[in-house]
């Protein structure tokens, strides 16, 4: 009897009337099929908002109703399945509420309408197939389009008056999420304006969802700033495309403006080449803070363990991450390969060696402080100390203030570290190099103050050096001293030169024999020259390539010399032009 066309028409009109009365809006249903009295199949179901725009359309909408509730003039909806669905969630200009708020208010009220029936929702199961969601928020210049092949959720309980939903589990398969921003919001405080910083603007009331587990598989996310110029050479904050997103969580609570939970796995790939193989940890996200404790992050070549806290003015600050997001992190023993993040700063692509890192970091990427840092790389290289860095990710214009308690390396490790930086071959002669002291300045313009220990001896420096990675153009000025240094083995002229100990002030350019051009004032305590050791030497002169021109004074028991002239050791037979008094 229920399947007769005349009965179906009456039932359709009856259900349409009940829903229209309960929801205070226009509801249309093309066809109703009733199965076993408690299952309704609604076809071509349409619900309009109060502006007569589409709030919900479903080609098929299956509703399971608690059977006994009908005799009490109640329609208690227990299971809901929607196929080929469109949902339009909108907050237009001048509106404080979204277009669905009136429905939540009506359902939460629990009043009986003129039809004599009361519609209640007490879902146990929700399923959506081939759904599209449009989420438009004019107040925040946000236009969100979501394509959802499959959503499946089992529900423990729900309360529409709060509103609050407690899920047993949730599953989303292969969604595509496209976020379009008309205008970039401000990312720093401005007392003259009031910025909406809520996490997700689902409701003007407190909104809550919990789930015991959640999975999202094979998702795609696109974030686009409308009319912005695109940069295809590296990561572009105006166009972010994340592919192959997979998320698996344990318990998660989304209450008010905060999300907390246990992340078991997250993986994704960005179109610029950045990839996360896995991310896990206990997390908390608010409009102003993101925390992950016991974090494990795996990138293709990197493994990072730490506790991290990010603070910011609002979520759009992530679009200017380097300047507007502050980081507090304690890095446990981790391996970081800078090539994994090279799409954020192309200069990092030239690094060849992974870094083993631990320490405490505070500040933003562009301006941070590192305490108790310990970094190792290569076969023996070690860096320990405290460091302040300003200017990243622009490596060449980054200012570094580093207090080294230990810095140890060698020519091979340093040359392998960065293929753009190749040290002169003469540095090989130093063997293992260690430094303790201060490094202040840029990577190619710095002051080194401290002690440099090598296999050939020790140097104590207070030098300003520039262009050190272009030896022919390097410049230097300051003081340099040594209690012992084998100048002959360092220079390769060990048949002529030997040990030296000295105190000096020098300035000049060039670090190779053909580019050397500078001046020196020095007191030499000991100096081996041409198989003879000289003592107590005063020097005031200039070097040009392999020539020295100046004055040398020696006042020693066996030698009393005042030398003015030039040494030229370019040729096999060395030339000396001297005036001796």
């Amino acid at each position: 009897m229920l399947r007769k066309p005349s009965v179906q028409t009456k039932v359709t009109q009856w259900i349409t009337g009940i829903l229209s009365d309960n929801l205070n809006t226009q509801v249309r249903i093309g066809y109703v099929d009733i199965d076993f009295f408690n299952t309704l199949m609604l076809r071509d179901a349409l619900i309009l908002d109060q502006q007569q725009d589409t709030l919900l359309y479903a080609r098929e909408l299956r509703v399971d109703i608690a059977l006994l509730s009908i005799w009490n003039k109640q329609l208690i909806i227990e299971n809901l399945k929607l196929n080929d669905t469109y949902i339009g969630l909108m907050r237009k200009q001048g509106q404080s509420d979204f277009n669905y708020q009136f429905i939540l208010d009506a359902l939460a009220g629990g009043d009986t309408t003129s039809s004599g029936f009361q519609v209640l929702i007490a879902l146990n199961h929700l399923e959506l197939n081939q759904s599209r969601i449009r989420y438009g928020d004019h107040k925040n210049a946000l236009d969100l389009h979501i394509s959802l092949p499959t959503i499946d959720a089992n529900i423990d309980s729900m309360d529409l008056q709060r509103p609050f939903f407690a899920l047993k589990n949730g599953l989303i398969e292969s969604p595509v999420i496209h976020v379009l921003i008309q205008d970039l919001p401000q990312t720093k405080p401005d007392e003259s304006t009031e910025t909406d910083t809520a996490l997700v603007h689902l409701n003007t009331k407190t909104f809550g969802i919990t789930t015991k587990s959640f999975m999202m598989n094979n998702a795609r996310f696109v974030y686009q700033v409308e009319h912005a110029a695109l940069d295809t050479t590296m990561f572009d904050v105006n166009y972010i495309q994340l592919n192959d997103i997979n998320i698996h969580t344990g318990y998660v609570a989304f209450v008010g403006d905060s999300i907390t939970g246990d992340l078991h796995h997250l993986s994704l790939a960005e179109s610029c080449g950045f990839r996360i193989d896995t991310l896990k940890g206990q997390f908390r996200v608010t409009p102003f803070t993101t925390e992950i404790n016991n974090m494990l992050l795996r990138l293709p070549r990197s493994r990072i363990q730490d506790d991290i806290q990010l603070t910011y003015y609002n979520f759009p600050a992530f679009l200017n991450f380097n300047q507007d997001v502050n980081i507090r992190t304690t890095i446990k023993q981790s391996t970081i390969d800078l090539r994994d993040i090279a799409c954020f700063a192309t200069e990092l692509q030239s690094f060849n060696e992974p870094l083993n890192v631990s320490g405490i970091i505070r500040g933003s990427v562009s301006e941070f402080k590192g305490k108790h840092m310990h970094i190792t790389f290569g076969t023996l290289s070690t860096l320990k100390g405290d460091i302040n860095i300003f200017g990243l990710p622009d490596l060449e214009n980054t200012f570094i203030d580093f207090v080294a308690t230990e810095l140890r390396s060698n020519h091979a490790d340093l040359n392998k570290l960065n293929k753009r930086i190749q040290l002169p071959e003469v540095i090989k002669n130093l063997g293992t190099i260690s430094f303790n002291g201060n490094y202040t300045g840029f990577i190619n313009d710095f002051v080194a103050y401290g002690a440099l220990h090598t296999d050939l001896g020790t140097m104590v420096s207070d030098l300003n050096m520039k262009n050190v990675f272009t030896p022919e153009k390097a410049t230097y000025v300051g003081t340099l001293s040594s209690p012992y240094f084998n100048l002959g083995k360092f220079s390769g002229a060990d048949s002529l030169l030997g040990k030296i100990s000295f105190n000096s002030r020098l300035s000049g350019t060039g670090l190779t024999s053909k580019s050397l051009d500078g001046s020196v004032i020095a007191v030499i305590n000991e100096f081996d020259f041409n198989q003879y050791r000289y003592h107590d030497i005063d020097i005031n002169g200039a070097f040009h390539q392999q020539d020295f021109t100046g004055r040398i004074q020696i006042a020693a028991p066996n030698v009393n010399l005042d030398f003015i002239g030039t040494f030229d050791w370019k040729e096999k037979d060395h030339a000396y032009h001297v005036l001796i008094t």
Side-chain angles (χ1 to χ4, degrees):
M1 177 179 179
L2 289 175
R3 295 186 178 274
K4 290 183 177 180
S6 59
V7 174
Q8 295 287 352
T9 300
K10 290 291 185 181
V11 171
T12 299
Q13 294 172 348
W14 177 66
I15 292 176
T16 300
I18 291 175
L19 293 174
S20 296
D21 281 350
N22 276 266
L23 301 179
N24 295 317
T25 191
Q26 186 174 353
V27 178
R28 301 172 189 167
I29 300 174
Y31 176 78
V32 176
D33 188 9
I34 302 174
D35 188 16
F36 298 113
F37 293 98
N38 67 331
T39 298
L40 302 178
M41 179 68 78
L42 312 181
R43 300 185 185 277
D44 295 323
L46 174 68
I47 300 176
L48 302 180
D49 64 18
Q50 293 180 323
Q51 285 73 45
Q52 300 303 298
D53 293 325
T54 300
L55 181 59
L56 170 70
Y57 169 79
R59 186 179 60 81
E60 291 183 349
L61 191 156
R62 178 185 174 121
V63 181
D64 290 342
I65 301 170
L67 183 61
L68 295 179
S69 69
I70 298 176
W71 309 114
N72 297 321
K73 290 198 171 184
Q74 292 179 325
L75 291 179
I76 301 179
I77 299 174
E78 292 182 326
N79 301 306
L80 189 60
K81 180 178 179 180
L82 297 92
N83 295 326
D84 295 333
T85 305
Y86 171 80
I87 301 172
L89 310 177
M90 308 296 291
R91 179 165 66 171
K92 296 182 179 180
Q93 187 172 11
Q95 296 178 340
S96 58
D97 289 338
F98 280 84
N99 62 338
Y100 58 83
Q101 182 61 49
F102 75 100
I103 292 181
L104 292 179
D105 293 340
L107 292 175
D111 296 331
T112 301
T113 64
S114 58
S115 65
F117 266 84
Q118 178 186 17
V119 177
L120 301 175
I121 298 179
L123 288 180
N124 296 319
H125 183 255
L126 173 65
E127 182 180 343
L128 281 78
N129 296 302
Q130 303 303 324
S131 299
R132 294 179 300 116
I133 298 175
R134 168 89 182 274
Y135 178 89
D137 184 2
H138 186 277
K139 183 176 181 179
N140 288 287
L142 174 64
D143 192 8
L144 174 63
H145 295 258
I146 305 175
S147 174
L148 295 165
T150 302
I151 291 183
D152 194 286
N154 293 301
I155 303 167
D156 274 334
S157 63
M158 58 189 299
D159 182 349
L160 292 176
Q161 288 184 318
R162 295 176 59 182
F164 187 85
F165 304 86
L167 309 184
K168 292 179 181 177
N169 52 64
L171 171 66
I172 301 177
E173 290 283 0
S174 304
V176 177
I177 304 166
H178 191 147
V179 180
L180 182 64
I181 297 289
Q182 282 84 33
D183 297 295
L184 280 175
Q186 66 188 59
T187 59
K188 292 185 178 179
D190 181 354
E191 295 179 358
S192 64
T193 61
E194 181 180 351
T195 301
D196 189 351
T197 60
L199 179 61
V200 177
H201 302 284
L202 290 175
N203 198 354
T204 55
K205 298 180 180 181
T206 301
F207 188 95
I209 300 176
T210 64
T211 182
K212 295 176 181 177
S213 68
F214 171 75
M215 291 185 68
M216 182 167 69
N217 299 321
N218 193 33
R220 182 170 178 261
F221 174 87
V222 176
Y223 174 96
Q224 182 177 358
V225 177
E226 194 173 29
H227 307 308
L230 303 182
D231 184 352
T232 59
T233 62
M234 60 183 297
F235 179 78
D236 185 356
V237 297
N238 293 318
Y239 187 83
I240 301 171
Q241 181 175 311
L242 304 178
N243 301 309
D244 301 322
I245 305 171
N246 297 282
I247 299 174
H248 180 203
T249 76
Y251 179 82
V252 175
F254 177 7
V255 180
D257 64 357
S258 300
I259 301 177
T260 58
D262 189 3
L263 179 62
H264 293 167
H265 173 81
L266 180 148
S267 60
L268 58 84
E270 214 281 334
S271 58
C272 72
F274 174 71
R275 193 173 88 227
I276 295 176
D277 291 336
T278 187
L279 171 64
K280 61 176 64 177
Q282 292 77 49
F283 69 92
R284 177 174 178 264
V285 181
T286 79
F288 315 106
T289 304
T290 295
E291 299 175 5
I292 306 179
N293 294 317
N294 300 314
M295 184 187 81
L296 174 61
L297 172 63
R298 290 184 184 273
L299 307 179
R301 305 178 187 91
S302 304
R303 184 180 187 276
I304 302 169
Q305 297 183 93
D306 68 3
D307 299 321
I308 187 169
Q309 180 189 70
L310 308 177
T311 58
Y312 36 86
Y313 176 62
N314 58 9
F315 282 111
F318 279 90
L319 301 178
N320 192 29
F321 186 90
N322 292 340
Q323 286 76 38
D324 292 341
V325 177
N326 287 308
I327 303 168
R328 295 175 61 90
T329 180
T330 301
I331 302 175
K332 299 158 190 176
Q333 191 59 49
S334 300
T335 299
I336 300 174
D337 193 312
L338 297 176
R339 289 171 292 182
D340 285 337
I341 54 174
C343 67
F344 299 100
T346 54
E347 297 92 339
L348 301 180
Q349 188 62 49
S350 60
F351 281 85
N352 296 319
E353 289 286 307
L355 307 176
N356 301 304
V357 181
S358 63
I360 301 169
I361 293 177
R362 301 287 185 267
S364 64
V365 170
S366 63
E367 184 175 335
F368 72 86
K369 297 180 179 180
K371 296 291 186 183
H372 311 300
M373 299 302 299
H374 185 192
I375 301 173
T376 63
F377 63 92
T379 57
L380 58 82
S381 296
T382 298
L383 181 154
K384 292 182 181 179
D386 297 337
I387 189 167
N388 298 336
I389 295 183
F390 309 89
L392 287 174
D394 185 355
L395 191 60
E396 291 186 359
N397 293 306
T398 294
F399 185 85
I400 302 169
D401 184 7
F402 175 50
V403 179
T405 56
E406 181 183 358
L407 194 160
R408 184 173 69 253
S409 191
N410 61 17
H411 181 273
D413 279 0
L414 291 172
N415 268 6
K416 287 181 182 178
L417 179 64
N418 191 317
K419 58 189 176 186
R420 291 178 58 193
I421 300 173
Q422 295 298 301
L423 299 177
E425 287 294 304
V426 71
I427 301 299
K428 282 184 179 179
N429 299 335
L430 295 175
T432 300
I433 306 165
S434 62
F435 176 81
N436 58 283
N438 296 352
Y439 176 107
T440 305
F442 302 92
I443 192 170
N444 222 13
D445 180 2
F446 60 88
V447 173
Y449 175 76
L452 184 72
H453 307 281
T454 75
D455 291 351
L456 302 182
T458 297
M459 294 283 186
V460 179
S461 71
D462 186 1
L463 283 174
N464 174 216
M465 302 190 70
K466 300 178 181 180
N467 301 318
V468 292
F469 300 116
T470 309
E472 295 79 10
K473 298 180 180 179
T475 66
Y476 39 87
V477 60
T479 62
L480 186 67
S481 63
S482 174
Y484 171 87
F485 189 76
N486 194 321
L487 185 61
K489 287 187 177 180
F490 175 70
S491 65
D494 49 356
S495 62
L496 182 66
L497 305 174
K499 170 189 171 183
I500 188 172
S501 65
F502 64 93
N503 294 283
S504 70
R505 175 173 293 277
L506 51 86
S507 64
T509 61
L511 293 175
T512 65
S513 60
K514 293 183 179 180
S515 64
L516 187 64
D517 189 6
S519 62
V520 60
I521 299 174
V523 175
I524 299 177
N525 303 313
E526 292 182 342
F527 177 47
D528 294 341
F529 180 77
N530 202 20
Q531 308 300 316
Y532 186 82
R533 177 164 293 178
Y534 294 88
H535 299 269
D536 302 323
I537 304 171
D538 292 331
I539 295 178
N540 189 338
F543 290 94
H544 178 69
Q545 296 181 356
Q546 290 176 284
D547 292 346
F548 169 79
T549 301
R551 185 171 190 172
I552 300 176
Q553 294 175 294
I554 304 175
N558 297 327
V559 179
N560 192 351
L561 176 70
D562 189 354
F563 167 94
I564 300 174
T566 298
F567 283 107
D568 181 355
W569 58 87
K570 290 192 294 295
E571 306 297 335
K572 182 177 180 181
D573 296 324
H574 305 294
Y576 311 100
H577 306 283
V578 302
L579 173 63
I580 301 176
T581 61

